[in-house]
Amino acid sequence: MAEDPALERHFKGHKDAVTCADFNPNCKQLATGSADKSLMIWNLATKARALRFVGHQDIITGVQFSPFGDLVATCSKDRTVRLWTPCLKGESAVFKAHTATVRSVCFSHDGQRLVTASDDKSVKVWSVHRQRFIYSLNQHTNWVRCARFSPDGRIIASCGDDRTVRLWDTSTRQCINCLTEYTGSATFVDFNANGTCIASSGDDSSLKIWDLRTNKLIQHYQVHSAGINCFSFHPSNNYLISASSDSTVKILDLLEGRLIYTLHGHKGSVLTVAFSRAGELFASGGADGQVLMWRTNFDTKSYQDVLRQHSRRSSPDPPPHLTDIHPRGPHLHLPQPSTIEVTQAATHSRHSNSLPAGQVASSRLEAWKEHERANGASLTAGSQAGAGGGGRGRRREEVEEYDEEEEERGQTYPLQVLSGYPVALDTTLQHIVQQLDILTQTVAVLEERLTLTEDKLKDCLVHQSQVLKDVRASEERGRRERGRKNASPARFT
């Protein structure tokens, strides 16, 4: 159908896993970072050359354009943050303050500050203009995986391996909320376009959305079969795309509360996904070193038109409520064959095959271990190739022109859609999740009570110590007083 997402371009150039991606706000460039230690800037104009930037000494873990598109920030396992000028000069400034791997980097809405998250358990805020560290946020108790500014810059959200999502007030630099809904690591966090909601994902394959106005969990999706590595809100706030270690990209309809597309094209874990600022394009990158750019299409019509079109293609089952954990009934877009070509119109039926088990990828942790084991040879080759470019300016070794080897336009990739769960299985899964939620809440209550007990015990110990000090002081004063009394008669005599 015309409103189905379509693969538009296929970028080749990275020599190892693509770990992060972001579009320039002007939608003329796409930046990607890789385990090959290089930053690639892809020009989206047809047959335009790409630029490779070399400077990091280890895997690049995060990338983002500034709000005005004149700078690119990257972070790396080499413990540094770099600011690049995305042009042939290849100039970069290096920020150093973290003591371990830096996992994510994000600009504030005005481009004046950066926020980074690190394995040193800290979130740090930096001044872009002064190119220096400003302050740290330090209440996480394990590695921090991601940190993001809210659209107005007043709040920072962070998440990590301590299974929490924290919200920080940038004016007071205090943690104002802590969400502890995860049974495993929280892998990614971000705000929607107007800052009223926050979403977070976990290595337990769940994706949760909270309303910040009420501090309530309003949606919970469990559509992937492995951990979610990254996600991105559509600017309209109506859709969300997620990337997972199950080798798929999934598109969620947030207003209807259901899965609408499952995209296949990557071999192995999909590590990053990002909408363009206007939402007309999105990109995905994965462990296979590929960068795929897709035309969104489903956002070209008004939302009401899309719903009317979907109603003709979906099953007669009633739509699920927004807070349902699993989409109910058959999928909105069911193909007659098990796969369809995304560049062609397709007929949809009410039946489809579920995903073969062989397509389920390994977990993100296993994928990263695999890349890090292969890091030595492949990254050495990558750095040698990157250092020989024709860049000019202050750092000649950091940038080279790159002849991109992209596939011909119109190359087809399968767009496969997942069938709905059987009703009995759906009910059972919902019951299990409810019980797990109750168990999680019980554990949280017990942890809170244990914390209160520890605080009371500390207060008692402090009080007891103070009482002992007072008793000893009183005894000492008594001894001195008796000594003075005993000495007085002797002096009189």
Side-chain angles (χ1 to χ4, degrees), residues 25 30 62 65 92 139 143 195 268-269 310 316 333 338 353 421 423 433 462:
L30 171 66
F65 275 97
S92 70
Q139 290 188 28
W143 294 356
S269 300
H310 285 180
H333 304 290
S338 60
N353 298 325
Y421 294 100
V423 176
V433 171
V462 170

Side-chain angles (χ1 to χ4, degrees), residues 118-370:
S118 170
D119 287 0
D120 63 11
K121 306 178 186 178
S122 74
V123 174
K124 294 189 185 297
V125 178
W126 313 72
S127 168
V128 174
H129 177 67
R130 297 180 181 178
Q131 297 186 0
R132 67 178 183 85
F133 163 73
I134 304 176
Y135 63 88
S136 281
L137 305 171
N138 294 305
Q139 290 188 28
H140 280 285
T141 58
N142 208 330
W143 294 356
V144 189
R145 294 289 181 177
C146 184
R148 289 288 185 267
F149 277 110
S150 63
D152 60 8
R154 290 166 36 180
I155 298 174
I156 291 172
S158 61
C159 67
D161 287 3
D162 60 0
R163 305 181 181 183
T164 67
V165 176
R166 292 182 179 272
L167 298 178
W168 310 83
D169 187 321
T170 56
S171 59
T172 64
R173 304 179 185 180
Q174 298 297 315
C175 180
I176 56 176
N177 202 353
C178 181
L179 309 172
T180 56
E181 296 283 340
Y182 281 95
T183 56
S185 297
T187 56
F188 198 83
V189 66
D190 203 2
F191 293 85
N192 67 350
N194 56 20
T196 58
C197 293
I198 186 175
S200 61
S201 60
D203 62 6
D204 60 357
S205 75
S206 67
L207 189 143
K208 300 178 181 181
I209 301 178
W210 283 269
D211 188 327
L212 296 181
R213 295 162 294 188
T214 60
N215 284 329
K216 289 185 178 179
L217 179 67
I218 57 173
Q219 292 187 356
H220 180 179
Y221 295 94
Q222 200 91 27
V223 294
H224 285 285
S225 58
I228 298 174
N229 300 319
C230 183
F231 61 81
S232 179
F233 278 101
H234 189 272
S236 68
N237 294 332
N238 294 340
Y239 305 99
L240 181 145
I241 51 177
S242 57
S244 169
S245 293
D246 64 9
S247 76
T248 67
V249 173
K250 293 186 184 283
I251 302 173
L252 301 173
D253 180 337
L254 301 182
L255 295 187
E256 286 292 296
R258 60 167 64 194
L259 172 70
I260 57 174
Y261 293 103
T262 298
L263 305 182
H264 296 266
H266 288 282
K267 297 177 182 178
S269 300
V270 187
L271 302 177
T272 184
V273 70
F275 272 115
S276 63
R277 297 300 194 273
E280 77 279 15
L281 299 169
F282 63 93
S284 60
D288 54 6
Q290 293 189 101
V291 180
L292 305 182
M293 188 175 75
W294 308 78
R295 176 69 57 178
T296 304
N297 289 335
F298 53 80
D299 67 340
T300 55
K301 295 184 178 181
S302 71
Y303 191 74
Q304 293 303 319
D305 290 340
V306 172
L307 287 182
R308 281 194 292 271
Q309 183 69 23
H310 285 180
S311 68
R312 302 188 193 105
R313 300 165 61 175
S314 64
S315 75
D317 294 343
H321 190 267
L322 287 179
T323 53
D324 283 350
I325 294 173
H326 297 282
R328 289 185 180 177
H331 200 282
L332 279 180
H333 304 290
L334 295 173
Q336 185 136 14
S338 60
T339 60
I340 62 172
E341 304 297 339
V342 296
T343 52
Q344 301 173 0
T347 358
H348 297 264
S349 73
R350 294 170 50 190
H351 305 280
S352 72
N353 298 325
S354 59
L355 287 175
Q359 292 182 353
V360 177
S362 60
S363 68
R364 187 182 192 187
L365 179 60
E366 293 171 351
W368 272 107
K369 285 181 179 177
E370 195 173 306

Side-chain angles (χ1 to χ4, degrees), residues 28 42 60 62 120 366 387 393 426 447 490:
K28 293 180 180 179
W42 310 94
I60 295 178
D120 63 11
E366 293 171 351
D426 184 54
E447 288 179 345

Side-chain angles (χ1 to χ4, degrees), residues 91-128:
E91 296 178 350
S92 70
V94 183
F95 296 0
K96 295 181 180 180
H98 284 294
T99 58
T101 297
V102 188
R103 295 286 175 183
S104 81
V105 62
C106 175
F107 280 95
S108 60
H109 70 294
D110 56 5
Q112 296 300 308
R113 290 172 294 164
L114 283 173
V115 63
T116 55
S118 170
D119 287 0
D120 63 11
K121 306 178 186 178
S122 74
V123 174
K124 294 189 185 297
V125 178
W126 313 72
S127 168
V128 174

Side-chain angles (χ1 to χ4, degrees), residues 17-29:
V18 178
T19 58
C20 48
D22 190 45
F23 283 91
N24 192 317
N26 64 19
C27 208
K28 293 180 180 179
Q29 294 176 317

